[in-house]
């Protein structure tokens, strides 16, 4: 894996290869937990991950939730959205392949979380 994120990264924060040889491209977004990732963000990532980076497995990681239209688009186009809930599982050792096999068009929630208050 190689970290490539930053200005002009064309939607790729990490690029690497899975054990089976498929190319993985990861886009990470750190949004406030009360925000959500919409369909437009997923559509943009789909275009750059595949066309610019040649991704076999495009993964969009967010610190919030995905809207229902965003999850639907991801499911139709073979993207793997990892939201704030799934990120905890991935961080605890659940394999990416297990997360990618979820029926993301039907899973998760698209309800925004309340912001933290100090």
């Amino acid at each position: 894996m190689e970290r490539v994120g930053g200005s002009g990264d064309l939607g790729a924060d990490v690029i690497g290869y899975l054990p089976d040889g498929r190319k993985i491209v990861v886009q990470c977004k750190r949004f406030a937990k009360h925000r959500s990732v919409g369909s437009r963000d997923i559509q943009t990532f789909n275009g750059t991950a595949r066309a610019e980076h040649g991704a076999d497995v495009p993964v969009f990681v967010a610190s919030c939730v995905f809207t229902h239209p965003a999850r639907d688009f991801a499911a139709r186009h073979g993207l793997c959205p990892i939201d704030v809930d799934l990120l905890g599982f991935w961080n605890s050792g659940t394999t990416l392949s297990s997360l990618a096999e979820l029926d993301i068009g039907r899973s998760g929630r698209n309800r925004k979380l309340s912001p933290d208050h100090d």
Side-chain angles (χ1 to χ4, degrees):
M1 295 282 181
E2 176 186 2
R3 182 186 176 279
V4 293
S7 178
D9 65 13
L10 296 174
D13 292 315
V14 177
I15 296 175
Y17 292 88
L18 297 173
D20 62 8
R22 292 179 295 162
K23 188 174 189 178
I24 181 173
V25 175
V26 181
Q27 170 72 352
C28 302
K29 291 293 183 188
R30 185 176 179 201
F31 292 149
K33 70 179 188 175
H34 65 277
R35 291 197 47 200
S36 59
V37 176
S39 181
R40 175 182 238 168
D41 294 318
I42 294 292
Q43 291 173 35
T44 300
F45 174 63
N46 185 52
T48 58
R50 294 183 194 279
E52 293 292 328
H53 302 290
D56 297 310
V57 180
V59 178
F60 195 114
V61 179
S63 59
C64 57
V65 296
F66 293 86
T67 64
H68 188 70
R71 288 195 325 268
D72 285 347
F73 182 89
R76 286 193 313 273
H77 294 275
L79 282 80
C80 181
I82 306 292
D83 68 6
V84 65
D85 296 323
L86 292 180
L87 186 56
F89 287 105
W90 194 17
N91 189 50
S92 297
T94 301
T95 63
L96 179 60
S97 59
S98 296
L99 297 174
E101 292 172 4
L102 294 174
D103 183 0
I104 56 167
R106 296 181 47 179
S107 67
R109 56 188 155 92
N110 58 352
R111 167 179 68 80
K112 293 181 183 179
L113 303 174
S114 300
D116 289 331
H117 296 287
D118 295 328

